[in-house]
Amino acid sequence: MKIFVCIKQVPDTETRIKLSSDHQGIDQNGIKWVINPYDEFAIEEAIRFKEANPSAQVTAVTLGPQARVNNALLTAMAMGADDSLLIDTESELDSLATAKALSAAIKKQGDCHLIFSGKLAIDGNLSAVPLMLAQLLDIPHASVVSQVSYDTQTITASREIEGGTKETFKLTLPALITANKGLNKPRFASLPGIMKAKKKPIVVLKLEELGLESLSPKVKFTNFDLPAEKPPCKMISGDPAAQVNELVRLLQQEAKVI
Amino acid sequence: MKTALIFIETSQGKIKKSSQEALSVFAGNEFNLITCSVGEDSSLPIELKSWGVKKHFVCEGLKTYNPESYQNFLAQVFETTQPQFFLASSNNLSRDVFPRLAAQFNAAYMSDVTEISVSPELVVRRPLYSGKCSAQVTYTDESAKIILIRPNQIEVKCPNKSENLDVVKLNVEVKNSRSQTLTIESGETEVLDLTEAETIVSGGRGLKEAENFKLLHDLAAPLGATVGASRAVVDLGWVGHNLQVGQTGKTVAPTLYVAVGISGAIQHLAGMSGSKNIVAINKDEKAPIFQKATYGIVGDLFEVVPLLTEKLKSL
Ligand SMILES: Cc1cc2nc3c(=O)[nH]c(=O)nc-3n(C[C@H](O)[C@H](O)[C@H](O)COP(=O)(O)OP(=O)(O)OC[C@H]3O[C@@H](n4cnc5c(N)ncnc54)[C@H](O)[C@@H]3O)c2cc1C
Ligand SMILES: Nc1ncnc2c1ncn2[C@@H]1O[C@H](COP(=O)(O)O)[C@@H](O)[C@H]1O
């Protein structure tokens, strides 16, 4: 039973974004790269599945420049993934091109049983790659999942959407799940785990080897901007009653929002 | 003439504001405007006419939400109309269906767009890194463009037309679906979701304990606000993750955001600094939240918030 976990490396959430001098991208100097937080839930879920089903083989998959993203795979394998698949490219691909490459790489490995991914990557905030991948692989999906149970031929997955509404779906396997916070509590990589990870195999593929040498994005990000500087905060002084009166006056008369 | 297709969501028979925002993108421009929606709404056609919509596809008989059936319906409409643009509001429903549609039709896909103009030339922008920066979306080919629009970003302007509207009913068969909807349990809340709300009152660790969130609900009532939270209190289990604002929660951009007992960590600021007006109530004058706030009150929230609630109720 092959289980795949899609992981993306993203700038740490502490990162203060600076722009490159031509404003056509961000300045990558000094960025600390980490596994996308939602992908940690995906990795954890895959490992738990393997723990319950010893015949399962968990493969971490990522696309990105090898020198950088290799670490993300090592972390996933230190947590418990068995091996990794790395699609090595420097190209800036969009969601669909990324999904095409991931789908080609996964198809190459033969049959898959389950695919886990994060619900969204916190860099581009697109929420697109996993469902595109599911479409290209022609398998069903459940997105933003915070609860899942497994059967031999099916899985049952629940998600919470706007207004606290809870939707539950039953999917025929193979299927893809995108993980939300709450699905589980990701473990930390243990020291022995980290040692073992160094010996686990990473298969590196180039786009050409997937027959995708001419893969190009349909959308690109250009002309970056930082948020406009805010005027300094108006601090409201006085005793609490005076502060509240002044705040309400400002909200009514200046901001005109109440 | 170019064709623009818009997915319409309704609430109590009326076009949702978020869908009106998508319609507004094309108001006053020369487009062959086509819409589609799921479920019967008898008054919907009349409303659509005023937006200059020429044709409306309605899917009847789909009682419960299912991503596969929705995709089947939207794919049928897409195939029939061959649109240059397909717009919808960005939410958990659209994000559950449209990425698959983009892969199915090899279309360009972009979610959470905050600025868009389609004439004289196409300009699209959106935030990245949860609002730490923004960028223009540049299209490299002529594929159809699927664009999901973030709520509350585009001004609603109805052209008040009265075109002839052609309503086409489609039926979507759900046969041997690999994806079956088991249950849909409605949340008890009537209030708008954080991502749609125009006013948000958010609480952090300064509230000291879960019970004190009642203070925020009391404050939210006269404002008609939705309650949000920092991750610290979500992790403490005081409120659910669906209330979390920030880089690993929801990105919000309301007209008014009131941060109560929230320090303003970078991950929290990323998710809310797009708000038009920010009020910070915090006892620490050095709290980073004041750097993003429009109005600041340094004080004890347990004194300030009840007074504010009373004052707002008296208005
Ligand atoms: C990977 C990662 C992702 C994260 N993602 C998010 C995210 O999405 N969203 C998010 O919010 N955080 C996120 N965080 C956490 C973030 O770093 C902060 O820890 C968190 O936002 C702090 O929450 P807080 O402001 O409620 O608590 P604190 O930082 O503890 O602040 C409490 C504030 O309350 C004030 N206060 C205390 N008592 C009173 C009183 N009586 N009256 C008035 N004020 C009072 C204090 O002065 C203080 O400023 C993330 C962290 C990591 C590592
Ligand atoms: N380059 C990538 N390599 C592997 N997985 C990815 C990549 N980009 C996105 N994903 C997966 O898709 C999820 C959603 O990403 P996105 O669609 O970019 O918001 C992530 O949480 C990952 O699981």
Side-chain angles (χ1 to χ4, degrees):
Chain A
M1 270 195 290
K2 276 194 169 292
I3 314 293
F4 293 91
V5 196
C6 300
I7 59 179
K8 185 176 193 188
Q9 214 182 31
V10 297
D12 184 84
T13 58
E14 291 284 344
T15 309
R16 277 172 210 286
I17 298 292
K18 286 175 273 172
L19 303 186
S20 61
S21 53
D22 63 0
H23 283 217
Q24 298 308 313
I26 63 162
D27 177 2
Q28 302 207 346
N29 280 314
I31 287 184
K32 180 180 160 209
W33 296 91
V34 298
I35 292 180
N36 178 42
Y38 293 109
D39 302 353
E40 294 180 358
F41 302 108
I43 300 170
E44 178 64 33
E45 199 57 29
I47 299 168
R48 288 188 189 189
F49 183 85
K50 181 189 160 72
E51 285 164 352
N53 302 272
S55 69
Q57 167 97 357
V58 176
T59 304
V61 194
T62 194
L63 175 147
Q66 181 176 11
R68 193 189 83 207
V69 300
N70 203 60
N71 258 336
L73 296 175
L74 284 175
T75 308
M77 293 190 297
M79 284 171 74
D82 297 300
D83 55 18
S84 293
L85 202 52
L86 193 164
I87 307 165
D88 173 29
T89 175
E90 298 277 340
S91 313
E92 294 271 348
L93 298 177
D94 63 358
S95 315
L96 187 52
T98 303
K100 284 177 183 172
L102 292 173
S103 109
I106 289 174
K107 273 184 190 157
K108 225 180 146 125
Q109 315 307 309
D111 285 344
C112 84
H113 185 72
L114 263 169
I115 301 179
F116 294 99
S117 77
K119 75 160 180 187
L120 141 155
I122 61 158
D123 52 357
N125 312 129
L126 272 136
S127 254
V129 170
L131 269 60
M132 290 172 168
L133 174 61
Q135 176 68 26
L136 296 170
L137 292 172
D138 194 22
I139 60 175
H141 78 271
S143 69
V144 198
V145 169
S146 53
Q147 215 179 316
V148 62
S149 61
Y150 305 90
D151 220 321
T152 43
Q153 302 296 323
T154 60
I155 55 175
T156 304
S158 302
R159 65 184 208 139
E160 220 177 275
I161 59 158
E162 289 87 356
T165 296
K166 190 173 168 191
E167 302 178 336
T168 305
F169 304 99
K170 187 172 179 180
L171 309 179
T172 311
L173 295 169
L176 179 144
I177 294 288
T178 87
N180 196 9
K181 186 171 171 171
L183 181 60
N184 52 44
K185 215 168 164 294
R187 68 194 69 188
F188 291 102
S190 65
L191 201 56
I194 294 169
M195 299 314 289
K196 265 197 226 152
K198 292 183 180 152
K199 298 200 190 73
K200 291 181 177 173
I202 300 182
V203 173
V204 182
L205 291 168
K206 295 268 185 198
L207 290 176
E208 300 81 71
E209 295 168 72
L210 296 167
L212 293 170
E213 48 285 341
S214 55
L215 194 62
S216 69
K218 292 176 185 295
V219 282
K220 280 198 220 166
F221 293 117
T222 57
N223 304 323
F224 282 60
D225 254 334
L226 293 173
E229 283 291 323
K230 299 232 169 189
C233 176
K234 269 195 190 161
M235 298 305 272
I236 303 170
S237 54
D239 63 40
Q243 284 176 314
V244 162
N245 285 338
E246 177 62 2
L247 174 64
V248 171
R249 189 191 68 79
L250 286 166
L251 290 176
Q252 282 184 311
Q253 294 175 14
E254 195 178 79
K256 300 194 171 66
V257 291
I258 55 173
Chain B
M1 209 188 328
K2 287 187 172 163
T3 295
L5 180 60
I6 297 171
F7 176 63
I8 302 288
E9 291 174 84
T10 59
S11 158
Q12 281 146 12
K14 292 245 174 291
I15 303 178
K16 273 196 177 180
K17 178 164 173 272
S18 52
S19 297
Q20 293 183 25
E21 290 163 357
L23 284 162
S24 300
V25 170
F26 299 96
N29 294 309
E30 287 295 309
F31 274 90
N32 175 26
L33 208 53
I34 302 178
T35 52
C36 56
S37 69
V38 174
E40 288 162 89
D41 285 306
S42 51
S43 61
L44 185 59
I46 303 161
E47 229 188 315
L48 288 171
K49 281 182 190 176
S50 68
W51 285 94
V53 175
K54 307 238 171 49
K55 200 170 194 172
H56 179 64
F57 290 85
V58 57
C59 176
E60 294 181 332
L62 259 185
K63 292 275 180 291
T64 46
Y65 173 69
N66 179 274
E68 218 172 81
S69 334
Y70 269 55
Q71 187 188 355
N72 286 346
F73 166 59
L74 296 179
Q76 274 188 48
V77 179
F78 192 103
E79 261 165 2
T80 324
T81 56
Q82 297 292 325
Q84 275 74 41
F85 290 96
F86 195 173
L87 267 70
S89 176
S90 217
N91 54 37
N92 275 315
L93 189 160
S94 59
R95 283 193 297 266
D96 199 37
V97 179
F98 283 84
R100 290 194 78 123
L101 213 58
Q104 185 178 0
F105 291 101
N106 203 26
Y109 177 84
M110 196 47 64
S111 61
D112 275 296
V113 162
T114 50
E115 284 175 54
I116 172 168
S117 67
V118 289
S119 171
E121 53 178 330
L122 178 67
V123 183
V124 178
R125 288 191 72 88
R126 78 189 289 276
L128 291 169
Y129 303 92
S130 312
K132 288 178 180 173
C133 67
S134 68
Q136 187 178 335
V137 177
T138 302
Y139 293 91
T140 62
D141 64 21
E142 293 302 309
S143 318
K145 297 167 180 65
I146 293 181
I147 299 177
L148 305 187
I149 294 190
R150 178 178 295 178
N152 282 336
Q153 304 296 309
I154 285 154
E155 199 191 330
V156 172
K157 41 174 197 284
C158 179
N160 292 316
K161 293 196 182 170
S162 59
E163 305 274 335
N164 276 331
L165 178 77
D166 188 8
V167 177
V168 184
K169 294 184 180 177
L170 291 183
N171 240 312
V172 174
E173 274 184 65
V174 196
K175 46 170 197 288
N176 313 328
S177 176
R178 299 169 302 182
S179 149
Q180 199 189 326
T181 305
L182 292 183
T183 52
I184 297 189
E185 301 158 50
S186 295
E188 69 279 19
T189 47
E190 287 289 303
V191 291
L192 286 174
D193 189 70
L194 282 171
T195 50
E196 297 169 327
E198 296 213 44
T199 310
I200 293 173
V201 173
S202 249
R205 189 143 46 190
L207 280 159
K208 301 267 178 329
E209 47 189 304
E211 289 67 44
N212 295 333
F213 253 79
K214 173 154 191 323
L215 287 176
L216 289 197
H217 288 284
D218 292 347
L219 175 60
L223 286 169
T226 299
V227 172
S230 72
R231 165 163 157 184
V233 304
V234 171
D235 285 354
L236 287 165
W238 297 358
V239 296
H241 174 58
N242 57 341
L243 295 198
Q244 183 178 323
V245 172
Q247 201 171 356
T248 53
K250 286 179 176 158
T251 306
V252 301
T255 315
L256 175 62
Y257 187 92
V258 185
V260 179
I262 291 179
S263 60
I266 185 167
Q267 298 94 346
H268 190 81
L269 297 178
M272 48 64 80
S273 45
S275 310
K276 285 172 207 79
N277 295 280
I278 297 170
V279 173
I281 302 172
N282 196 302
K283 69 175 182 191
D284 174 9
E285 61 180 335
K286 296 204 185 65
I289 188 77
F290 289 120
Q291 287 162 23
K292 293 284 177 191
T294 327
Y295 305 116
I297 290 184
V298 177
D300 182 355
L301 72 90
F302 295 101
E303 282 183 69
V304 176
V305 172
L307 284 171
L308 182 56
T309 305
E310 284 314 311
K311 176 82 189 174
L312 290 168
K313 278 205 236 159
S314 73
L315 294 179

